[in-house]
Amino acid sequence: MSSSVVLPSISLTKPAFGSSQSFRSSTCLGFKNEIRRVSRWGLGKSRVFMSVAVGSEAVAVDDALFKDYKPSSAFLFPGQGAQAVGMGVEAQKVPAAAELYKRANDILGFDLLDICINGPKEKLDSTVLSQPAIYVTSLAAVEVLRARDGGQQIIDSVDVTCGLSLGEYTALAFAGAFSFEDGLKLVKLRGEAMQDAADAAKSGMVSIIGLDSAKVQQLCDAANEEVDEANKVQIANFLCTGNYAVSGGLKGIEAVEAKAKSFKARMTVRLAVAGAFHTGFMEPAVSRLEAALASTVIRTPRIPVISNVDAEPHADPFTIKKILARQVTSPVQWETTVKTLLNRGLKKSYELGPGKVIAGIVKRMDKGADIENIGA
């Protein structure tokens, strides 16, 4: 798998523009997709090169450019579920942050800030609104940080970034892989496509609290023995030991809830989402994302951005597009991502945006982890 295009002249310190050619994955990650299945694409081990014009010379950009990254300071961005009525208020005190909401209104066609601040909650919680709201508020939080004493120095020190599900788009925007506007257009379409996919089948998500991943898998297997194929369930979010989200058909979700106590789960929490995210139920959204990504300029990120699909950083724009399209049907490998960051020596991290979900996960994995919340 390779891509070679001649691109605009850029500095070596700037992100490289990527190919905007259309693509379709030849391998569909099925319902029981797992991280090891990703190797069928060769994404994790791919040596994808792309010609980039730098002055008068062509430089090859390897997809594994960031493979041996050594993290010291990280920005972590939240995903859907972090939204709360009242977010965005702090951003209005910082002109650059407030400006992002104004720019967003032109793209979205409605007053995003009004929904963020005033709700109602049911409206803000909808997939089509919460995803753009979190994306904009999280990037506004970067501007809030930039405006405080020493903030720019903190931003300049960040050498790795990632985000939970939707937050991966925010991380890519922060890393310069695409513009704020292009990222928002993608996030808007992503929310709409995921909502439409959810409307097409009765499905949902539930958090299982108090079990390790092996026990949660056994719980899913037991539930799947009692339901038909259309109601199967699987682990969709590998967050951290003791906190995993299961997605699938409603009857399967109900079976998981009914059996959870017999597997010694502390509790289950039905998630307020439209449907079975990060499973094959989201397959109808993939082609729409592929088409939108194909027409979006994506550049090599200036710092590593860790993918939710395989917990690896990717440098090749074509590969990034392919991964983002498949992210909605693939389990989120957040636990592996955070473990890798910590094991590689991460010293300080910041959660930027609404909520404190990510900080809670990081602290659960390492009580001594140094993480700071930056809201907007």
Side-chain angles (χ1 to χ4, degrees), residues 199-223:
D199 290 343
K202 293 181 179 179
S203 63
M205 295 182 74
V206 60
S207 280
I208 312 299
I209 309 299
L211 299 179
D212 62 24
S213 58
K215 277 288 187 183
V216 176
Q217 185 58 57
Q218 290 172 19
L219 173 57
C220 289
D221 292 342

Side-chain angles (χ1 to χ4, degrees), residues 127-198:
T127 298
V128 294
L129 291 177
S130 62
Q131 293 198 25
I134 293 166
Y135 172 86
V136 174
T137 302
S138 297
L139 289 173
V142 175
E143 299 306 322
V144 170
L145 173 60
R146 195 191 309 274
R148 84 181 194 191
D149 287 346
Q152 185 61 56
Q153 286 84 347
I154 292 172
I155 292 169
D156 292 341
S157 74
V158 172
D159 50 19
V160 65
T161 184
C162 53
L164 184 60
S165 188
L166 158 73
E168 186 170 339
Y169 286 77
T170 320
L172 285 163
F174 170 73
F178 44 66
S179 68
F180 167 80
E181 287 82 3
D182 283 349
L184 181 56
K185 289 173 185 176
L186 288 172
V187 167
K188 177 179 183 289
L189 180 137
R190 182 181 187 267
E192 293 168 349
M194 290 173 72
Q195 180 68 58
D196 289 346

